[in-house]
Amino acid sequence: MPAHKQILKNNVMLITQNMPEHRIVSIGFWFSVGSRNERNGEYGITHFIEHLLFKGTSEKSARELSLFFDKAGGYVNAYTDRENVCVYCTIPSFGKNVRNAIHTLCDMSCHAEFPEQELNRERTVVENEITASLDDAEGCAIDSAALCVWPDQSISRSITGTVEDVERISREQILQWYEKYFVHGELTVVCAGNFNEQDLIEELSLLPDHLQPKCYPEQRHFNEAPVWKSGSNYITTDFTQLHVIQSYPVSVPLTPKSDVVLDVFNALVGDTMSSRLFQALRESNGLCYNVYSFISEFEDAALWSAYASCDKANGKDVARLLQNELERLINDDLHDEEIKAAKEHLCGEEIINGEDVEYIMKRLQRNYSLGFPFYETDDIIRDIRLVTKEDILELVKNLLDKKNCAFVAFGASSTEEI
């Protein structure tokens, strides 16, 4: 059945796609709040609350919440990013599972109680997560690159905050933040799979009134768009490897066509084993193990980056070869066969993912957040195959502008020679 959206009387945005041939369902709650909303004295609070949503409500204890999804034979998870918190589950859709699942997610979204003992215990868990992330050299390098291109701006701020930030967050702050952004904030609920829509509507209609949903992309949640900073940055750390990241700003808002052209370009340059960067840096020269490219999208900004990690002795060669590959693209060195390979890779990936109700659920939310139609797998494949060489060359001309280039060398013995 086609996907559709509706705004309930309490302003909850409900997006559904019923697929009766499936025997499972995936449900996601998106709360429009993230680290970009936080100010001094609040850093890390959104991510902390994401953890605490699982620590008990007026109806269920923390164990009872976990036990419900385990007994249903499914799973529940959550994540926080810079602009949203998502709590989602995937479960078999027999019996009363779906209605009970939506009821439980509603309970977590407006009746969490944050008992003092659970709060303090989870504070330690979050602090351990933060310290563990400091051992992730790749993650630290990418976070540092964001800080370089968007310095002193909320879009590049740490999602978790520091250990010191989390230590300072009080229960009173948590209650106020939860009430403002979770109980009464903007909420989008997305459901894909086999379910009874009336059950969803009845349960969601019991929620308190929420903020009226924004109309994407015409309306925005943030007053000032991020300001890009180009240039070269050399950050010396105690990590044993060197991480090289080269980034460029992507024009926003994305359109359905510019979005798919960017995906084809990314697959061609660094998102596959046959891509330019993988073949040049790893396969042909053996200079690194990890090399790829990626896209990061936000409400009012986006970037494309090429990444490689290597032994410090190879840093200069890695940076040179990475730059050479991008220069080739700028000089129109683009072949029909590699474009076809990138497009067919994306088509195959979409066919595989299109069998997964959780992927479909998240795809619905992404399309909604970008202001796109609710594309199906066949629509996406059609648009991928319509991308031309001229489309990619036009993207390259606009994207790989040297005056916008931001280069970061992060790690062992980063020197300006690199």
Side-chain angles (χ1 to χ4, degrees):
M1 296 182 181
H4 71 280
K5 63 181 180 180
Q6 57 186 306
I7 301 176
L8 305 184
K9 290 182 179 179
N10 53 6
N11 286 326
V12 172
M13 172 63 77
L14 175 60
I15 301 170
T16 55
Q17 184 159 19
N18 209 320
M19 298 180 287
E21 72 277 10
H22 286 267
R23 295 192 291 175
I24 57 176
V25 64
S26 194
I27 307 164
F29 278 46
W30 268 269
F31 304 91
S32 292
V33 60
S35 54
R36 285 189 73 176
N37 298 89
E38 299 166 359
R39 298 295 178 263
N40 190 26
E42 301 166 343
Y43 299 152
I45 191 170
T46 310
H47 173 256
F48 193 6
I49 290 175
E50 175 229 306
H51 276 246
L52 293 170
L53 294 178
F54 294 86
K55 297 305 168 185
T57 69
S58 56
E59 287 190 9
K60 291 183 174 71
S61 67
R63 174 169 169 73
E64 287 170 335
L65 287 172
S66 300
L67 193 59
F68 165 74
F69 290 102
D70 288 346
K71 286 173 66 177
Y75 58 89
V76 63
N77 208 340
Y79 62 83
T80 303
D81 62 30
R82 290 178 167 87
E83 298 176 342
N84 294 281
V85 172
C86 177
V87 183
Y88 65 97
C89 70
T90 301
I91 57 170
S93 55
F94 53 78
K96 295 183 178 179
N97 266 1
V98 179
R99 181 145 196 164
N100 290 339
I102 198 79
H103 179 84
T104 301
L105 293 175
C106 287
D107 190 31
M108 294 165 66
S109 74
C110 66
H111 295 133
E113 294 203 314
F114 311 111
E116 198 77 46
Q117 186 176 10
E118 290 283 3
L119 191 152
N120 290 328
R121 186 183 295 122
E122 198 62 24
R123 192 192 305 270
T124 303
V125 172
V126 171
E127 290 170 358
N128 274 286
E129 181 184 355
I130 294 169
T131 55
S133 71
L134 298 177
D135 290 329
D136 176 9
E138 183 177 335
C140 288
I142 291 171
D143 285 346
S144 293
L147 288 168
C148 290
V149 300
W150 290 308
D152 303 317
Q153 297 175 66
S154 62
I155 194 171
S156 58
R157 185 180 301 129
S158 165
I159 292 169
T160 62
T162 65
V163 169
E164 294 73 22
D165 291 330
V166 174
E167 278 290 332
R168 288 193 290 265
I169 296 170
S170 68
R171 185 171 183 271
E172 182 181 5
Q173 282 179 291
I174 286 169
L175 289 169
Q176 292 173 352
W177 198 265
Y178 176 69
E179 186 75 14
K180 179 178 180 180
Y181 289 108
F182 291 80
V183 179
H184 296 293
E186 188 180 337
L187 172 61
T188 301
V189 176
V190 188
C191 186
N194 191 340
F195 58 90
N196 183 315
E197 186 168 306
Q198 191 57 37
D199 287 347
L200 299 182
I201 293 172
E202 288 177 5
E203 291 293 339
L204 291 169
S205 295
L206 298 175
L207 289 172
D209 288 343
H210 285 257
L211 287 179
Q212 190 170 0
K214 299 281 188 182
C215 178
Y216 298 102
E218 291 83 5
Q219 295 175 291
R220 301 195 317 193
H221 293 86
F222 306 99
N223 293 328
E224 295 184 6
V227 179
W228 181 267
K229 184 174 184 278
S230 57
S232 298
N233 303 270
Y234 309 94
I235 304 167
T236 302
T237 73
D238 294 331
F239 291 120
T240 56
Q241 281 207 311
L242 180 71
H243 304 261
V244 173
I245 305 169
Q246 192 153 316
S247 303
Y248 298 85
V250 174
S251 296
V252 292
L254 290 167
T255 65
K257 180 174 181 178
S258 66
D259 181 57
V260 74
V261 173
L262 183 62
D263 283 340
V264 174
F265 166 80
N266 186 56
L268 184 154
V269 178
D271 193 39
T272 64
M273 289 178 64
S274 60
S275 66
R276 292 262 181 125
L277 295 180
F278 194 93
Q279 289 295 313
L281 276 70
R282 176 168 164 165
E283 297 299 280
S284 297
N285 290 280
L287 291 173
C288 56
Y289 172 73
N290 209 9
V291 52
Y292 58 88
S293 62
F294 62 93
I295 305 159
S296 297
E297 298 171 343
F298 304 95
E299 181 179 293
D300 49 7
L303 63 76
W304 178 84
S305 299
Y307 166 91
S309 59
C310 61
D311 184 272
K312 62 183 180 181
N314 295 328
K316 185 176 179 180
D317 290 334
V318 165
R320 177 177 53 80
L321 282 174
L322 189 155
Q323 186 59 44
N324 286 349
E325 289 305 314
L326 298 183
E327 287 284 352
R328 285 176 57 203
L329 290 167
I330 293 169
N331 293 325
D332 296 355
D333 183 6
L334 197 59
H335 307 294
D336 292 337
E337 192 57 39
E338 63 180 337
I339 296 172
K340 181 180 178 181
K343 289 162 65 172
E344 291 307 311
H345 167 79
L346 290 174
C347 290
E349 196 172 57
E350 181 60 35
I351 290 169
I352 293 170
N353 290 334
E355 299 295 315
D356 179 357
V357 294
E358 183 180 314
Y359 168 82
I360 293 170
M361 181 266 291
K362 291 178 178 177
R363 183 177 70 191
L364 288 169
Q365 191 277 336
R366 179 179 184 270
N367 285 338
Y368 166 68
S369 69
L370 291 172
F372 292 177
F374 292 131
Y375 288 120
E376 303 282 354
T377 293
D378 288 345
D379 302 320
I380 294 168
I381 291 172
R382 177 203 64 213
D383 288 351
I384 290 169
R385 289 188 169 143
L386 287 174
V387 173
T388 65
K389 180 177 181 179
E390 289 69 30
D391 291 330
I392 300 172
L393 289 173
E394 181 68 20
L395 170 68
V396 168
K397 183 176 74 173
N398 294 320
L399 178 67
L400 302 184
D401 187 334
K402 289 184 179 181
K403 72 175 185 295
N404 291 329
C405 175
F407 177 86
V408 175
F410 175 97
S413 300
S414 302
T415 67
E416 293 201 20
E417 181 185 28
I418 294 166

